[in-house]
Amino acid sequence: MPTNSAAPSPAHDPDQDQAHDPDEARDPGRAHDPGQAHDQAHGDPSPAPSPDPRRWKALALICAAQFMLVLDVTVVNVALPALATDLDLGRTALTWVVTAYTLCFGGLMLLGGRLSDALGARRVLLTGLALFTAASLACGLAPNAGVLLGGRIAQGIGAALLSPAALALVTTVFRGRERSKALGVWAAVGGTGSAVGVLLGGALTSGPGWPWIFYVNVPVGLAVLATLPRFVPATAKPAQRGGGLDVPGALLVTTATGALVYGLVTAGDSGWTSTATLLPLLGALVLYGAFAATERKTRVPLMDLRMFTRRPVVVGSLLMLVATALLISFFFLGSMHLQHVHHLDALRTGLLFLPVALTTAIGAHLGSRLVSSAGPRVCATGGLTVAALGCLPLVFADPASGPWTTLLPSLATASLGLGAVFVTATTTALGLIAPHEAGLASGIVNTFHELGGSIGVALVSTLALTATTTPTPTPAGLTAAYTLCTVTAAAAALASPLLIPRGRPHMTGGPHGMH
């Protein structure tokens, strides 16, 4: 899954990339198009500054902070049945436990990048980390659904501040080839996060209990908060940018997506034609329209809507939306399926999901080679076809049949294909457009990544789970949810050759990580 990042500031001084202080307010676009080529292209004859000997320790701390954010996307899935039982969560509340985090993470991420640019990356990172750590403690202590959901929202806001600032620091602490190596480490951390998340979630839920999936963030967060300032010095005064912050835009796009998710979740209880479903969906359309109008009028928009006239950006964003919706849905459905239908404990569920997470990483590795040799069209079409064929047996199989012979092979195969789609989405959006637009495109694609998870879980929970105090999947509901996943992957596979532009990617930035 792709690393989260922010859109660039319209003003950019190339010489700032050579400054000593990593907390200098930078152009967040450097986080996406780090520009190893930039150092040579501008032909700066001045000698490069001496590298900071503390930079690798700083990288380790920054990656530890990012790892927690990636972990919390999947670690909670295995604990969902335990959460539902202990806190009397109904289907709607259980769905929001997953979607509230990804919704705020994705909806506010671009604003987090702007704040990093305006206030300084280190300052915003530490603020986001402090909020995320405190919210994790609140989630672990939660006595009821309201406190838990409030904590998950706060976690998402903290993540939206932390992630783009952390990536901006990585790209400013390191230069040239070292920057590529550092971004490779960043990508590896993101790639292993989902695998570790399902395993750790199962182990902690079966052991000390579900609160520890949140408590585990607290000592790590406190340690990074205490030590990071020693290795990443602060600036006396961040660089000043004109134009301010587009807070209304951030609130509108997040509220619009929240209304969309609410409508999708409500459909499971009230029906697709009910007023309770249609009003939020209509409200989402109105809010998205208001967001578009706001972005056209503001001097420094959160999201440059002109990027949506770029075919590669639109297609890459849609691919990211579909791939993330499918993958996070697999984790959600599989967890409920294994624990309620097959009556496995959380630890065994986490262990069963480990191959699924690993095949996603393998698919991403294979996809990174295929997209360069055969092109994005072939890679996306092939990956989505594999995802559809992998999920297809679950449409016809008895949900009670053995997980080792049906569920696990199907989800592992489907996730292998999705891993390649993640890479294709990023390279299509960034490698088939002008290099100077890569920062804006990356911010949009990563926003679609987080929001895709929210929409996917909302849809499959509506189909698969009963609307009871302790929601459980029904055989017919699971079949319907797996059918939706199969049809979605197949439709995207058929559309990919028609939508993806011809040509090969010309990636000018460093690696774009998966999480």
Side-chain angles (χ1 to χ4, degrees), residues 80-423:
L80 289 175
L83 281 163
T85 300
D86 287 359
L87 300 182
D88 293 328
L89 302 182
R91 182 188 65 82
T92 300
L94 198 67
T95 303
W96 281 107
V97 170
V98 179
T99 58
Y101 177 69
T102 53
L103 174 64
C104 293
F105 194 170
L108 299 175
M109 186 165 45
L110 291 173
L111 180 62
R114 295 292 193 192
L115 286 169
S116 173
D117 188 38
L119 303 178
R122 195 194 78 157
R123 185 176 293 108
V124 173
L125 185 151
L126 292 175
T127 301
L129 179 58
L131 177 58
F132 182 87
T133 304
S136 297
L137 180 61
C139 288
L141 295 172
N144 53 51
V147 176
L148 178 62
L149 294 179
R152 289 292 281 172
I153 290 171
Q155 277 190 315
I157 296 171
L161 295 173
L162 193 160
S163 188
L167 188 53
L169 281 179
V170 172
T171 60
T172 52
V173 168
F174 294 91
R175 289 176 50 80
R177 293 183 178 179
E178 277 198 347
R179 186 182 286 160
S180 296
K181 294 178 181 178
L183 287 168
V185 173
W186 174 275
V189 165
T192 57
S194 58
V196 176
V198 293
L199 185 58
L200 186 63
L204 292 174
T205 303
S206 293
W210 66 261
W212 285 90
I213 67 174
F214 301 112
Y215 288 153
V216 71
N217 294 329
V218 177
V220 178
L222 292 176
V224 176
L225 281 169
T227 55
L228 185 67
R230 295 172 51 196
F231 299 102
V232 183
T235 48
K237 183 180 180 182
Q240 299 298 315
R241 306 283 190 195
L245 297 169
D246 183 18
V247 175
L251 295 178
L252 279 170
V253 72
T254 305
T255 305
T257 308
L260 173 63
V261 171
Y262 181 84
L264 295 176
V265 173
T266 304
D269 301 331
S270 305
W272 288 98
T273 58
S274 69
T275 303
T277 299
L278 295 177
L279 278 181
L281 296 180
L282 179 61
L285 290 176
V286 172
L287 288 169
Y288 279 128
F291 170 71
T294 300
E295 297 308 280
R296 283 196 295 268
K297 292 180 180 178
T298 186
R299 282 203 303 154
V300 184
L302 187 73
M303 185 181 292
D304 187 349
L305 297 182
R306 291 175 298 178
M307 291 302 296
F308 287 103
T309 64
R310 309 287 195 273
R311 182 178 169 191
V313 176
V314 175
V315 175
S317 298
L318 290 175
L319 287 174
M320 187 62 75
L321 184 80
V322 169
T324 310
L326 289 173
L327 185 63
I328 302 301
S329 295
F330 289 161
F331 282 114
F332 182 89
L333 288 172
S335 176
M336 305 302 288
H337 191 163
L338 290 170
Q339 294 186 64
H340 283 292
V341 177
H342 297 291
H343 306 292
L344 301 183
D345 61 19
L347 178 58
R348 292 180 66 190
T349 299
L351 288 171
L352 273 171
F353 264 120
L354 192 56
V356 176
L358 292 177
T359 55
T360 307
I362 293 170
H365 176 71
L366 297 175
S368 64
R369 298 192 173 202
L370 181 63
V371 77
S372 299
S373 59
R377 281 188 174 184
V378 173
C379 191
T381 304
L384 289 165
T385 301
V386 170
L389 293 176
C391 200
L392 184 62
L394 297 177
V395 176
F396 301 101
D398 181 355
S401 57
W404 286 102
T405 57
T406 54
L407 183 65
L408 179 62
S410 292
L411 294 187
T413 302
S415 299
L416 179 73
L418 292 180
V421 179
F422 282 122
V423 173

Side-chain angles (χ1 to χ4, degrees), residues 142 233-234 447:
T447 298

Side-chain angles (χ1 to χ4, degrees), residues 478-497:
L478 286 171
T479 299
Y482 291 132
T483 300
L484 175 64
C485 292
T486 303
V487 170
T488 300
L494 292 173
S496 290

